[in-house]
């Protein structure tokens, strides 16, 4: 028995925010952002778009590519740290939007690693026989938790959604392995302090800008390189492969320098590394599914190729999935 990706889709909001636009908002420069991060522009959701709207658009594309009816979906898993609201879950709103009336629905909160966590759970739930067809979505409106006065973070983030549909199959295509990790001791390096049960929303928390993402980028940098390289190595070994067997490496797109350092660590040539950070920045859990779809559309991978998805994010969390297309 295998697990096939029968459909994949993404949605990028129309509005583009360039480095030149950011120069007007905070004290920064295109030169700084480009050389320190690799980002040139990012997408921003419109005022009427919430995370579930992006997710539904990406999912509709994936459903159409898979040529299935929404009724055939047994479960919807949405990875997000920017849900429409605390509850109901964004996945329930997606279920309603898609009219996927037979699907169970739940969200995963693992920041930028959320899609990898969700894909791993979907794989295991299909392998165990719980579900046959699972829709996995990474969807984020990071612009809604971005402090547009903080140059340390506002240049990095963007909005997007990516969706894949997995189905039990007899074909040899498969999700070969996954590896997930976390370290809550570093939870204060990337977090949003306000609005939860610890500091519910008050005028004071709003005045103190606690409803925006806070990040210690410099400290995260080193941990990100090690965690991404280690988790990729572990997932590749679990699949019974080596780095030489990998046709395309799709890392989380948080910083071009992190990606280059991870590739060096793994001794993988940058020619085998997929990049779209210049166009979208860091879209958290949407990053890897959006990149996977682009890699397929651009012909960077073909049927039978081995692809590794690797992510790292707030929590801290990290994870890798090895896929045979
Ligand atoms: N424009 C101009 N200068 C800036 C900007 C900016 N946008 N941002 C920071 N600087 C300044 C700083 O103030 C600092 O100035 P100082 O030396 O006078 O104090 C200087 O640039 C260097 O700052 P650093 O933080 O050391 O810069 P660094 O090279 O580390 O780059 C960055 C910062 C891009 C954030 C990097 O550290 C990074 O990418 N970190 C990892 C991010 C990450 O992986 N996050 C996890 C995933 S995200 C998620 O889960 C949602």
């Amino acid at each position: 028995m295998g697990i096939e990706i029968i459909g994949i889709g993404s949605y990028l909001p129309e509005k583009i925010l360039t480095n030149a636009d950011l120069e007007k908002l905070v004290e920064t420069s295109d030169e700084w952002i480009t050389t320190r991060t690799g980002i040139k522009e990012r997408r921003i959701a419109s005022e009427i778009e919430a995370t579930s709207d992006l997710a539904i658009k990406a999912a509709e594309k994936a459903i159409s590519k898979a040529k299935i009816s929404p009724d055939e979906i047994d479960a919807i898993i949405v990875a997000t740290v920017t849900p429409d609201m605390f509850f109901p879950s964004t996945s329930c709103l997606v279920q309603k939007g898609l009219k996927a009336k037979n699907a169970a629905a739940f969200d995963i909160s693992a920041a930028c690693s959320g899609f990898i966590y969700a894909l791993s759970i979907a794989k295991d739930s299909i392998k165990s026989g719980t579900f046959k067809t699972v829709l996995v979505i990474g969807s984020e409106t990071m612009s809604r938790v971005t402090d547009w006065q903080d140059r340390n973070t506002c240049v990095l983030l963007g909005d997007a959604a990516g969706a894949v549909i997995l189905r039990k199959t007899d074909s040899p295509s498969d999700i070969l392995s996954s590896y997930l990790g976390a370290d809550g001791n570093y939870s204060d390096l990337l977090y949003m302090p306000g609005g939860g049960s610890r500091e519910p929303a008050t005028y004071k928390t709003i005045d103190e800008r606690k409803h925006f993402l806070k990040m210690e980028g410099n400290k995260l940098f080193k941990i990100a390189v090690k965690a991404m390289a280690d988790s990729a190595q572990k997932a590749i070994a679990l699949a019974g492969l080596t780095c030489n067997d990998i046709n395309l490496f799709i890392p989380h797109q948080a910083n071009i320098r992190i990606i280059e350092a991870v590739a060096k660590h793994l001794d993988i040539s940058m020619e085998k590394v997929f990049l779209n950070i210049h166009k979208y920045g860091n879209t958290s859990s949407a990053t890897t599914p959006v990149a996977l779809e682009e890699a397929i559309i651009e012909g960077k991978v073909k049927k039978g190729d081995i692809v590794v998805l690797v992510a790292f994010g707030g929590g801290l969390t990290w994870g890798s999935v090895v896929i045979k297309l």
Side-chain angles (χ1 to χ4, degrees):
M1 188 208 109
I3 296 168
E4 195 177 3
I5 295 179
I6 57 168
I8 178 160
S10 64
Y11 174 71
L12 282 309
E14 259 175 50
K15 186 180 169 190
I16 295 174
L17 186 73
T18 64
N19 290 351
D21 296 327
L22 283 164
E23 284 175 357
K24 292 176 205 143
L25 282 181
V26 287
E27 202 185 323
T28 190
S29 66
D30 173 48
E31 201 265 334
W32 192 96
I33 303 170
T34 307
T35 55
R36 305 306 288 171
T37 73
I39 303 166
K40 295 298 277 182
E41 56 188 45
R42 63 290 288 147
R43 300 298 179 97
I44 304 294
S46 75
E47 273 172 28
I48 56 161
E49 284 178 317
T51 294
S52 68
D53 301 313
L54 274 56
I56 289 167
K57 284 183 177 146
E60 282 170 344
K61 268 178 77 182
I63 290 168
S64 148
K65 294 241 186 74
K67 298 190 176 65
I68 63 166
S69 148
D71 291 354
E72 294 174 57
I73 299 168
D74 301 317
I76 299 171
I77 312 177
V78 175
T80 189
V81 283
T82 48
D84 287 29
M85 51 191 106
F86 258 152
F87 62 89
S89 64
T90 301
S91 53
C92 279
L93 303 174
V94 170
Q95 191 236 32
K96 175 184 163 198
L98 295 175
K99 299 190 176 63
K101 60 180 189 299
N102 297 317
F106 59 96
D107 289 2
I108 290 287
S109 172
C112 302
S113 314
F115 182 78
I116 304 288
Y117 268 63
L119 202 57
S120 177
I121 292 165
K123 167 193 72 129
D124 291 337
S125 67
I126 293 174
K127 287 210 163 167
S128 68
T130 308
F131 302 123
K132 189 173 161 233
T133 307
V134 181
L135 168 61
V136 183
I137 307 172
S139 185
E140 304 281 11
T141 45
M142 297 308 289
S143 62
R144 302 284 154 77
V145 294
T146 296
D147 185 345
W148 295 103
Q149 295 177 12
D150 176 13
R151 70 174 182 174
N152 290 295
T153 53
C154 76
V155 302
L156 305 172
L157 305 158
D159 302 337
V164 301
I165 299 174
L166 303 181
R167 178 169 267 185
K168 191 174 161 185
T169 166
D170 295 328
S171 82
S173 306
D174 210 346
I175 294 186
L176 301 178
S177 66
S178 60
Y179 177 81
L180 305 176
D183 190 344
N185 289 308
Y186 294 115
S187 51
D188 57 352
L189 295 187
L190 179 50
Y191 70 126
M192 197 180 91
S197 60
R198 192 156 301 279
E199 290 193 75
T202 61
Y203 291 113
K204 187 167 175 281
T205 62
I206 290 168
D207 286 345
E208 291 172 354
R209 308 186 79 71
K210 288 189 168 171
H211 301 270
F212 295 123
L213 168 151
K214 318 280 174 205
M215 179 164 91
E216 291 209 38
N218 203 288
K219 288 187 187 156
L220 284 172
F221 196 105
K222 281 186 201 136
I223 309 170
V225 173
K226 190 174 175 327
M228 283 172 74
D230 280 358
S231 77
Q233 258 159 350
K234 284 185 174 128
I236 292 167
L238 282 170
L241 301 170
T242 71
C243 283
N244 291 333
D245 301 311
I246 308 307
N247 299 102
L248 191 70
F249 186 71
I250 302 185
H252 179 52
Q253 312 273 313
N255 188 315
I256 184 73
R257 293 180 296 132
I258 293 179
I259 296 171
E260 285 166 351
V262 173
K264 198 170 163 203
H265 234 76
L266 295 172
D267 203 16
I268 289 179
S269 129
M270 281 302 285
E271 276 157 33
K272 282 190 174 182
V273 177
F274 187 81
L275 295 174
N276 62 8
I277 188 169
H278 53 291
K279 293 191 288 185
Y280 310 131
N282 178 354
T283 60
S284 188
S285 67
T287 302
T288 45
V290 168
L292 178 62
E293 193 205 21
E294 283 198 353
I296 294 169
I297 290 171
E298 291 172 16
K300 298 235 160 76
V301 277
K302 55 183 187 316
K303 201 86 191 142
D305 277 358
I306 309 277
V307 179
V308 179
L309 307 180
V310 190
F312 170 84
L316 298 177
T317 57
W318 51 83
S320 296
V321 173
V322 181
I323 300 170
K324 183 170 187 203
L325 286 176

